[in-house]
Amino acid sequence: MSLQLNGTTIETDNEGYLLNTNDWSPELAAVIASGENMELTDARLEIVHFVRNHFEECECIPELRKLLKALREKHGQEKATRKYIYGLFPYGYGQQACKIAGMRKPLKLLLDL
């Protein structure tokens, strides 16, 4: 499977996750989000950028609890809930937020198959 961006082919797995995380760009995030039938709102972009920044610093996808802690510190308890995250990404943090952030499929999702 693949995505097209500015005449370039970006390789993905059969579920649309990037095979090479270095192919990611904000423009590609919009393409991936469109494939998920989602608009990249400021709230969604905040989560996507958190995932990308964490990945660039630690070379791993942040666990949801780490994201919730960061949201709690920045916005308070109201946005630091699973309900808030699932409101933004109805099919789940790993399924959609990580995919839009250009991550490979999270290991936990692979183990659940």
Side-chain angles (χ1 to χ4, degrees), residues 4-5 65 80 87 95:
Q4 296 293 319
L5 178 65
R65 63 185 171 90
Q95 280 295 112

Side-chain angles (χ1 to χ4, degrees), residues 15-58:
E15 294 181 58
Y17 290 88
L18 295 184
L19 293 178
N20 181 352
T21 59
N22 292 324
D23 288 338
W24 187 86
S25 68
E27 296 81 17
L28 187 57
V31 172
I32 297 168
S34 175
E36 294 288 310
N37 296 316
M38 301 181 92
E39 178 184 346
L40 278 183
T41 62
D42 288 342
R44 286 184 176 127
L45 278 172
E46 179 180 22
I47 305 303
V48 167
H49 288 295
F50 179 86
V51 172
R52 286 300 306 182
N53 292 338
H54 186 275
F55 179 77
E56 289 170 8
E57 290 174 13
C58 304

Side-chain angles (χ1 to χ4, degrees), residues 62-105:
E63 293 179 5
L64 180 57
R65 63 185 171 90
K66 187 169 210 125
L67 169 63
L68 294 176
K69 180 180 178 187
L71 288 173
R72 185 172 38 258
E73 290 170 0
K74 185 172 183 180
H75 300 291
Q77 187 60 38
E78 182 179 315
K79 290 188 177 182
T81 65
R82 290 176 184 267
K83 182 178 180 179
Y84 175 75
I85 300 300
Y86 279 89
L88 296 174
F89 302 99
Y91 291 105
Y93 170 70
Q95 280 295 112
Q96 291 180 305
C98 291
K99 183 187 285 187
I100 294 167
M103 302 291 99
R104 291 189 182 129
K105 188 170 186 171

